[in-house]
Amino acid sequence: MDSIPNIVILTGAGVSAESGIDTFRDGGGLWEQHRVEDVATPEAFARDPDLVLRFYDMRRAAIQTKAPNAAHDALARLDAVWPGELLIVTQNVDDLHERAGAKRLIHMHGEHLSAWCTACDARSRWTGPLGDRPACPSCGAPGTLRPDIVWFGEMPYRMDAIYHALNRADLFVSIGTSGAVYPAAGFVREARAAGARTIELNMEPSQGSHWFDEARHGPATALVPTWVEEILAASTRSA
Ligand code: NAD
């Protein structure tokens, strides 16, 4: 490993859990009392767009009442000072990483605070509801906006950039993710194949826990600041 390792950090719903945003798997397979198939697939949107738009309108409103926690803050601090390559790939659709100050960030599953026009393909920052079918701010078409969320069965965003970073990574860290949703669940194997050391920070062993060189289990607000301090101290010593 170089003295300044290239770092890729994958985050999931567990990093936002202590900010008061529910995870997926912890709700007994339900997401906010809904089955995934009823709210998070293109088929669900085609079948019952009002239900899907209402569901995301509630999630979009809810995240705006939440604040980043110590785990988001620690990752933003690492991003700000790390002299090597670093990429935070989040599966989260909340905006808590960027509100904490993270800049080198990819939202691979989209964002609650973005609307996508299915007519002109424009993305617009969106904080209000979509259920009342507002016109697209770019092309003016009525009723063509959908949540800018990658639903199950759709292609995650920026995969070329993510695999490029994974293949250059010296260190891969997975935080607060169950390892149940692909392709993100396969990133640890990609990084290992490229020679990276791999660490899991999660409340409990994830489904892919055995792929990691090291696993620490506990709440993200405790584990992540400690890990960030360690890596910053180690890089100072080797500089
Ligand atoms: P997941 O719900 O499948 O798994 C969450 C993991 O986090 C679990 O392994 C759990 O043990 C762990 N966890 C729970 N609380 C924790 C804590 N305080 N500290 C550390 N770990 C904790 O989430 P996932 O793997 O991200 O996959 C679910 C999908 O659902 C993602 O694609 C994501 O887009 C979407 N989702 C996003 C949000 C969000 O944006 N905040 C919330 C729910 C679901």
Side-chain angles (χ1 to χ4, degrees):
M1 194 189 290
D2 291 342
S3 57
I4 302 175
N6 294 337
I7 305 176
V8 176
I9 299 165
L10 173 68
T11 68
V15 86
S16 295
E18 290 163 86
S19 292
I21 301 177
D22 275 1
T23 65
F24 239 4
R25 314 285 147 189
D26 298 333
L30 295 181
W31 189 11
E32 305 276 355
Q33 287 79 55
H34 288 78
R35 293 187 319 149
V36 169
E37 309 88 81
D38 293 338
V39 291
T41 64
E43 294 77 17
F45 187 52
R47 198 169 49 237
D48 192 346
D50 289 332
L51 171 74
V52 173
L53 291 175
R54 261 199 323 273
F55 175 80
Y56 283 97
D57 284 353
M58 284 164 59
R59 306 274 75 72
R60 191 179 310 107
I63 62 152
Q64 294 176 74
T65 69
K66 311 296 182 189
N69 63 45
H72 300 103
D73 290 342
L75 293 177
R77 174 166 129 73
L78 180 64
D79 178 25
V81 302
W82 191 248
E85 292 180 22
L86 178 145
L87 180 64
I88 301 170
V89 180
T90 189
Q91 299 169 85
N92 293 346
V93 290
D94 65 52
D95 64 337
L96 298 186
H97 281 304
E98 50 268 53
R99 270 202 268 150
K103 300 273 188 285
R104 293 181 272 183
L105 174 70
I106 289 180
H107 277 280
M108 66 177 288
H109 290 164
E111 300 172 54
H112 275 319
L113 300 189
S114 175
W116 174 25
C117 177
T118 53
C120 74
D121 202 35
R123 261 96 182 166
S124 306
R125 181 173 160 81
W126 207 266
T127 53
L130 288 172
D132 53 358
R133 310 298 170 95
C136 169
S138 282
C139 71
T144 55
L145 295 175
R146 58 162 268 187
D148 190 8
I149 300 285
V150 177
W151 286 324
F152 286 91
E154 297 183 322
M155 180 66 78
Y157 295 153
R158 312 267 319 267
M159 292 305 287
D160 287 354
I162 294 169
Y163 280 111
H164 179 76
L166 288 170
N167 282 298
R168 295 173 55 79
D170 301 302
L171 186 58
F172 174 80
V173 189
S174 174
I175 306 173
T177 173
S178 59
V181 178
Y182 280 84
F187 290 171
V188 60
R189 270 170 280 172
E190 188 79 14
R192 274 178 82 94
R197 177 173 162 69
T198 56
I199 307 177
E200 163 167 287
L201 309 177
N202 203 46
M203 189 63 93
E204 60 191 11
S206 71
Q207 291 187 22
S209 210
H210 54 282
W211 290 108
F212 290 87
D213 297 314
E214 182 184 344
R216 302 181 188 180
H217 298 130
T221 55
L223 296 182
V224 178
T226 302
W227 172 74
V228 167
E229 288 313 315
E230 283 172 17
I231 181 119
L232 288 175
S235 77
T236 310
R237 273 198 307 274
S238 66

